[in-house]
Amino acid sequence: FPVTILPTCSTVSQPYTIQVSIMPTPLISSNGTVLCGGQPLTITSSFSGVPVPPPTYTYLWSNGAATAGINVTTPGCYTLTASNSLGCSASSSQLCITGSSTPVITAGSATSFCSGGSVTLSTNATAGIQWFNGTTPVGSGLNTFNATQSGSYTAVVTTGNCVSTSNAITVTVNSVTVPTITASATEICTGGTATLTSSSDPNYVSYLWNNNLGTTASVTTQNSGTYTVTVTANNGCSATSANKTHS
């Protein structure tokens, strides 16, 4: 039986365009990296190579925020994941925010001492340190300071844009008036006596004469020699007179 050969039939569809969406990586930056005094820092986002007009993005920060920028008051490391309308997403690099702490100073020994003594003050800060006695700068750079004068000492620490002041430590340097000696006579005959008297001060609580002369404000001697008196005041500090020569 006969076979009929038909011409080949074909149909071409309309073109269908597929666009590959390239999601740019979000860039984040802040107006500081150290939180200071409870003031927030602002982290903002941007994109490089964004077409015009820019597409619409959705945002998700590592702290759960869903805006283009955030204000932060808590130290930590933050990242942003942005998505476009096709569901493509990209994440930023990490941006870390640190917190500044109030420095603390401590005294290594008693803060009340006699003239000529000292006390070493220390702070837990490690850098950016300026020591003050009241409002007067007295030292910088080191986390210790040797205080030899009375006053109220603090350490002011600068970290980035943050300036913090420590607690204050009061240092008291006690003093005592140096005594002087008067003598009833500077020369005596054999067998005679001379009276040596220390100057008086209401803060003196004890006297000690050299050569074992005694422990009172006035003493007598029959001997020639050089004499001194050491007084102790009610603040515990002592001072010794200049030499008094008796012949």
Side-chain angles (χ1 to χ4, degrees), residues 52-197:
V52 179
T56 300
Y57 297 117
T58 57
Y59 303 88
L60 181 62
W61 292 85
S62 53
N63 66 348
T67 53
I70 57 173
N71 290 328
V72 297
T73 57
T74 304
C77 294
Y78 295 84
T79 56
L80 169 65
T81 298
S83 303
N84 62 17
S85 58
L86 297 176
C88 302
S89 63
S91 296
S92 70
S93 299
Q94 196 176 65
L95 177 62
C96 293
I97 304 295
T98 60
S100 65
S101 58
T102 300
V104 175
I105 63 174
T106 56
S109 57
T111 57
S112 180
F113 48 84
C114 298
S115 179
S118 65
V119 58
T120 299
L121 307 178
S122 303
T123 177
N124 58 346
T126 57
I129 304 164
Q130 174 71 64
W131 291 94
F132 284 85
N133 182 356
T135 59
T136 303
V138 291
S140 63
L142 300 178
N143 64 348
T144 59
F145 179 76
N146 195 47
T148 59
Q149 297 181 346
S150 295
S152 179
Y153 289 84
T154 55
V156 175
V157 177
T158 302
T159 306
N161 63 333
C162 186
V163 179
S164 302
T165 302
S166 73
N167 56 304
I169 289 182
T170 299
V171 173
T172 302
V173 180
N174 299 306
S175 61
V176 56
T177 302
V178 177
T180 58
I181 299 174
T182 57
S184 61
T186 56
E187 295 183 10
I188 57 174
C189 299
T190 302
T193 61
T195 300
L196 305 176
T197 303

Side-chain angles (χ1 to χ4, degrees), residues 174-176 201-206 231-238:
N174 299 306
S175 61
V176 56
D201 187 296
N203 295 315
Y204 292 168
V205 293
S206 68
V231 298
T232 301
N234 51 16
N235 58 18
C237 299
S238 299

